[in-house]
Every structure is written in C-alpha cells, then in structure tokens.
Amino acid sequence: MKSIHQLILALFLLTGTLLYAGKVETVITHSDAMDKDIQAMVVTPEDYDASKKYPVVYLLHGHSGNYTEWPKRAPKLESYADQYQMIFVCPDGNYNSWYFDSEVKLESQYETYVAEELVAFTDNTYSTIKDRSGRAITGLSMGGHGALYLAFKHQDVFGAAGSMSGGVDITPFPNNWELSEYLGTYAENTERWEANSVINMTPLLTPNSLQLMISCGTSDFFYDANVKLHDKLEYMNIPHRFLTTPGGHTWDVWRDAIKYHLVIFDSFFNPVE
C-alpha cells in the first residue's frame, strides 16, 4: 500500500506533467509588400532554448478566421510544441485572402507575406532551422489550399506540406468566399482561376520533392476535390499520405487531423537513418 507521501509525490508529478505546455505569444510582423503590420501567434516549447535549432510548422486559418484561430480552437498545440520540440507560427490571412498575391486587389499580397516575409521574421526572431528541411506548412479549408499552394510554388522554402479539408479546386465556386475579388470573375478570368487552383498545380511537383499529407472528412463539401487531387498525385507517382475520416467541415475534424499531420512532419524533420 502506497504511503500518503508517495501519493502526494505521484499527484505532484502528474500535475506537473499536465501543466507542462508550450508558451503562446502574439507578435507583430511587418509586410513591406503590403506596407502594414500583421499580427501572428507563435507557440514555442516550454523549455525553448536559444542554443538549439527548432523546426517550424506554419499553420494557416480558414476563410473568415484569423491568427488566433489555431491556438484558441486547438489548445493542444502547446503540448504538441513540447512533445515534438517544434515551433508553431499562426499568421493572419486577412479573413479571405486565399493566400494569393492578387493581381486584382493589389493591397493583398499574402503569398509574398507568408512565404517570404513571415519566414524571414521567424528565422530572425527565433532559433530555427533556417532551411526547407526544418519548415512545414499546413492549414484548414482556405488555409489548406494556401498551404499546398505556397509549398508547391516555394519548394525552396518548405520541405513538407499538408492540407486539412482544403479548397484544392476553387473553380467550382465562382461566386463563393469573395474569390472573385482576388482573381476577377471566373467567366472573364478562367485561365487565372485554373492556374491558381492547387489541383492544377501538380506539374510543379516531382517525386519526393515535398513530404505531403492531405486529409479530409468524408462529409466535407471539399471531399470530392480532395479525392481527385489524391488520384492525380497517385497517377503522377507523387508519394503522399491521404487520410479520410468521418465528419464534415468542422473543428472536431481538424483538431483530430493535426495530430496526424504532425506525425508526418516530425518524421520529415527527424528522418530515420
């Protein structure tokens, strides 16, 4: 039978384990391309040590969200930062930017911001692995599109990428989510819409050029597009993971999915010799 001292010690150790979590902070970044300051949230391990070099996962929010969404809706990010010894950076995508550099709305240059300016800020501010081997990017919905879009176009910056319920084909939605504000109308700019749909950007890939993780709920309105992307990648012999789970376009699905994305990213950051 355990003594009261042993029980108190066990409780103390359990409590200490439960309380041990990463540090969350809001930072102000700057975009020269858009001439404005942009907020982001950064999650670092509790035992963050500037003498170490940490991999970074960039987490993009969906349409109508903001930089607080991931830390607020998925609080386990703090424990994941400790578990995997990663830094998470959650930028603001300005509600509905779709992470394009818009030729129509010139004040919206979020491709340049995330892939260049934000990465430079992160590497200059934190002790990071300043190379594609230490960078991954993923996101949900609009952010899932954005993560693959940015990674496909900037394979020199990101080595791994994911998408959760991503809008990987935007062409069926010419009147949705203010897309026409950034691309022009579909009827008059069909070529631009096609070129900016992730599903049509796969020729940018070669086998193993990116570590890819794509997930989607089977009841999601983007599910068919994600299946088509998976089939296209298979046809092109592009290695990737494709995870389907029950559920729709909800945070319950995304909170579950992030666990699997991080396993894949961790294996990329720490390959088995």
Side-chain angles (χ1 to χ4, degrees):
M1 183 176 179
K2 290 184 177 179
S3 71
I4 188 65
H5 297 292
Q6 289 174 308
L7 291 172
I8 291 173
L9 177 60
L11 181 60
F12 173 79
L13 292 173
L14 175 61
T15 304
T17 300
L18 293 173
L19 292 176
Y20 189 73
K23 176 186 175 185
V24 183
E25 61 181 334
T26 300
V27 297
I28 305 296
T29 73
H30 183 77
S31 170
D32 288 336
M34 294 184 280
D35 190 25
K36 67 177 181 179
D37 290 337
I38 302 172
Q39 291 181 299
M41 293 193 84
V42 178
V43 184
T44 53
E46 178 70 20
D47 59 350
Y48 173 81
D49 181 348
S51 68
K52 294 182 181 179
K53 300 295 183 183
Y54 295 87
V56 180
V57 176
Y58 292 84
L59 289 173
L60 306 185
H61 65 76
H63 179 274
S64 78
N66 59 51
Y67 68 100
T68 69
E69 289 283 292
W70 270 106
K72 178 174 64 178
R73 302 272 194 161
K76 285 189 177 180
L77 283 180
E78 297 175 41
S79 61
Y80 296 150
D82 287 333
Q83 178 181 351
Y84 292 110
Q85 291 295 290
M86 295 174 180
I87 295 173
F88 299 113
V89 178
C90 308
D92 198 288
N94 200 33
Y95 190 88
N96 60 354
S97 72
W98 285 85
Y99 303 97
F100 299 128
D101 275 358
S102 176
E103 299 175 46
V104 178
K105 200 169 186 175
L106 297 181
E107 66 271 25
S108 186
Q109 303 293 305
Y110 279 85
E111 176 186 343
T112 295
Y113 168 63
V114 175
E116 298 179 20
E117 297 170 325
L118 181 64
V119 168
F121 169 86
T122 303
D123 285 347
N124 289 332
T125 307
Y126 299 92
S127 185
T128 64
I129 299 170
K130 296 174 173 58
D131 183 80
R132 70 185 300 275
S133 64
R135 298 192 198 106
I137 185 168
T138 189
L140 63 93
S141 193
M142 177 183 87
H145 152 85
L148 295 182
Y149 178 89
L150 295 173
F152 286 13
K153 292 186 72 174
H154 299 273
Q155 296 176 48
D156 59 324
V157 177
F158 303 104
S163 172
M164 291 168 259
S165 306
V168 296
D169 185 1
I170 57 176
T171 59
F173 306 98
N175 300 313
N176 293 68
W177 308 303
E178 302 89 35
L179 279 160
S180 61
E181 292 183 14
Y182 299 90
L183 298 172
T185 63
Y186 180 69
E188 296 176 346
N189 300 275
T190 304
E191 188 173 318
R192 184 185 293 153
W193 279 67
E194 295 281 350
N196 285 283
S197 277
V198 166
I199 199 165
N200 298 323
M201 295 169 63
T202 55
L204 296 174
L205 302 176
T206 55
N208 298 309
S209 59
L210 284 170
Q211 184 106 319
L212 293 172
M213 174 65 181
I214 299 164
S215 60
C216 195
T218 54
S219 300
D220 197 295
F221 50 82
F222 284 139
Y223 178 70
D224 288 345
N226 277 266
V227 171
K228 289 176 183 176
L229 176 61
H230 161 63
D231 290 342
K232 191 171 184 181
L233 292 172
E234 282 207 320
Y235 179 77
M236 294 177 62
N237 294 314
I238 303 295
H240 63 287
R241 274 83 167 183
F242 182 52
L243 173 68
T244 64
T245 59
H249 209 72
T250 69
W251 270 101
D252 285 341
V253 171
W254 304 325
R255 275 188 292 266
D256 183 62
I258 188 62
K259 296 183 296 187
Y260 301 101
H261 285 240
L262 294 181
V263 168
I264 298 304
F265 295 159
D266 183 59
S267 70
F268 171 73
F269 296 144
N270 299 286
V272 177
E273 295 295 336

